[in-house]
Amino acid sequence: AQCAERWYWDGEQCVECHGYETTSIIFPALPIVLFPVVVLVLYKTGGADSDKWNTFKTAAAGFLFLLLNHYQVSALLQDAAVPFPREVSSLFASYQSTADPAIVFKPQCAGLKDFKSDMVKNFLMPVGIGLLVAVVFAISLLVQRLIKKPVGFDVDRTLGIYFSLMFTFFAGISAMAFVLFKCSDNPNGV
């Protein structure tokens, strides 16, 4: 379905974009600004010694990972060529942000409406995340040199953060990789 300018398709109908959503401030600028904070938090909270692995905090993190993975797979079921009742389909659609966190920022409103631009965004997302992790790593080493205190990131932990993010969203990344091979009806009804 094609929506008018400043409208986007939410899976069931055309929804109007708010004025601020159509600027490049929300997407891609806001994720680029927020992501280094996420990397810093992951670096600070991760990397526990092996004697701390058997704690409630670690068990809770593992449970949350499994729960996230469950919702990601549930969201991907929406794209299966199986007819679901409307209630089930809308329930699966509500989990979509677990498989593709970028949709929280509504990139469709920033101009990424068509298949081509969406594929480019999805292809570049892991690369962009890798570049942002590398930039945060480089800045930490620069700060370490400037203030002469051991605040620089460890290479192994930094790579662990990147690959943990890739593993966490592997279901969504895999679904994106196979979208070219998925058969569906022509959107023009032909």
Side-chain angles (χ1 to χ4, degrees), residues 63-79:
F63 174 75
L64 288 175
F65 172 76
L66 290 174
L67 191 64
L68 175 66
N69 201 293
H70 163 75
Y71 286 125
Q72 288 173 338
V73 172
S74 297
L76 297 176
L77 284 175
Q78 175 190 355
D79 296 334

Side-chain angles (χ1 to χ4, degrees), residues 10-144:
D10 73 348
E12 293 183 14
Q13 62 186 357
C14 290
V15 178
E16 186 174 10
C17 297
H18 300 290
Y20 62 89
E21 293 172 335
T22 59
T23 67
S24 60
I25 293 172
I26 299 297
F27 189 86
L30 189 58
I32 289 172
V33 170
L34 290 178
F35 190 75
V37 175
V38 171
V39 172
L40 290 170
V41 168
L42 289 174
Y43 190 86
K44 181 72 177 158
T45 59
D49 293 330
S50 60
D51 61 329
K52 295 181 182 171
W53 289 355
N54 193 18
T55 63
F56 176 77
K57 178 183 165 187
T58 306
F63 174 75
L64 288 175
F65 172 76
L66 290 174
L67 191 64
L68 175 66
N69 201 293
H70 163 75
Y71 286 125
Q72 288 173 338
V73 172
S74 297
L76 297 176
L77 284 175
Q78 175 190 355
D79 296 334
V82 176
F84 290 108
R86 182 182 167 123
E87 294 82 16
V88 173
S89 184
S90 65
L91 181 66
F92 289 162
S94 67
Y95 302 148
Q96 199 64 39
S97 64
T98 62
D100 183 10
I103 66 169
V104 171
F105 301 103
K106 297 184 182 173
Q108 313 92 314
C109 292
L112 301 176
K113 283 185 180 183
D114 62 337
F115 179 79
K116 179 181 174 185
S117 60
D118 192 46
M119 285 301 295
V120 169
K121 172 196 67 102
N122 288 338
F123 172 74
L124 291 178
M125 195 73 70
V127 174
I129 288 172
L131 287 174
L132 286 172
V133 169
V135 166
V136 172
F137 174 76
I139 289 172
S140 77
L141 295 181
L142 179 66
V143 169
Q144 178 174 302

Side-chain angles (χ1 to χ4, degrees), residues 162-175:
Y162 173 71
F163 287 111
S164 294
L165 287 169
M166 293 300 103
F167 182 63
T168 300
F169 295 102
F170 181 74
I173 293 169
S174 298

Side-chain angles (χ1 to χ4, degrees), residues 172-185:
I173 293 169
S174 298
M176 171 202 60
F178 290 113
V179 76
L180 290 174
F181 305 107
K182 185 170 53 173
C183 297
S184 61
D185 293 335

